[in-house]
Amino acid sequence: METKLPMAQDCFSGHDAASLMAETARLRSIITKRGTLEILIPLCCTTQPVRYKQFRDSIKGVSSKTLASRLKELEKGGILERRAYNEIPPRVEYRLTPKGQELVECVVNLLQWMVKWSGAKG
């Protein structure tokens, strides 16, 4: 027998708890992989594109291979825009897409919530 959670009407317009919970797996696959937040957070703090070397130099504890993999995944997901220049040495820059900017704004809101409540009890 299936048990339904009590939900307020129109909690998320057109979505029920089961479909929202299924979406959490997709969200986790985007933001919880090692290095992803370390890539996204600096991008929210600038309007300028960020070069691969800047990521590599500033992100500690993430290998170059993992960094390259995360950047590709975020580009494929439409979160980052990658621009390669035909120069020597090669230059590659990344910036947030509108979709990525919206994601980062949500992450920043979650971080603000965490800071607000991190010292609170209950």
Side-chain angles (χ1 to χ4, degrees), residues 3-121:
T3 304
K4 293 207 176 225
L5 295 171
M7 291 283 291
Q9 289 295 81
D10 296 325
C11 177
F12 285 92
S13 182
H15 296 86
D16 61 15
S19 66
L20 290 172
M21 291 173 74
E23 287 296 314
T24 63
R26 291 184 57 216
L27 177 61
R28 275 195 310 271
S29 74
I30 294 171
I31 65 170
T32 61
K33 288 184 177 174
R34 184 177 183 91
T36 299
L37 290 175
E38 291 83 352
I39 291 168
L40 294 176
I41 298 301
L43 282 167
C44 80
C45 301
T46 182
T47 57
Q48 301 299 312
V50 178
R51 294 180 71 173
Y52 176 86
K53 183 180 181 332
Q54 291 172 288
F55 282 124
R56 194 183 68 228
D57 292 347
S58 66
I59 298 175
K60 305 300 180 212
V62 176
S63 71
S64 292
K65 181 180 177 181
T66 299
L67 174 59
S69 176
R70 291 302 164 266
L71 288 167
K72 274 185 188 164
E73 289 170 1
L74 292 168
E75 180 187 8
K76 184 178 178 184
I79 294 166
L80 291 182
E81 175 186 302
R82 179 184 188 270
R83 181 177 229 173
Y85 296 87
N86 192 15
E87 299 175 353
I88 299 198
R91 177 169 57 123
V92 177
E93 296 177 342
Y94 296 88
R95 68 176 59 229
L96 291 169
T97 63
K99 178 180 177 180
Q101 184 63 46
E102 193 171 328
L103 172 62
V104 167
E105 289 169 10
C106 293
V107 170
V108 167
N109 286 334
L110 187 58
L111 291 171
Q112 289 171 337
W113 173 85
M114 183 193 72
V115 168
K116 178 181 178 180
W117 293 100
S118 63
K121 302 226 188 241

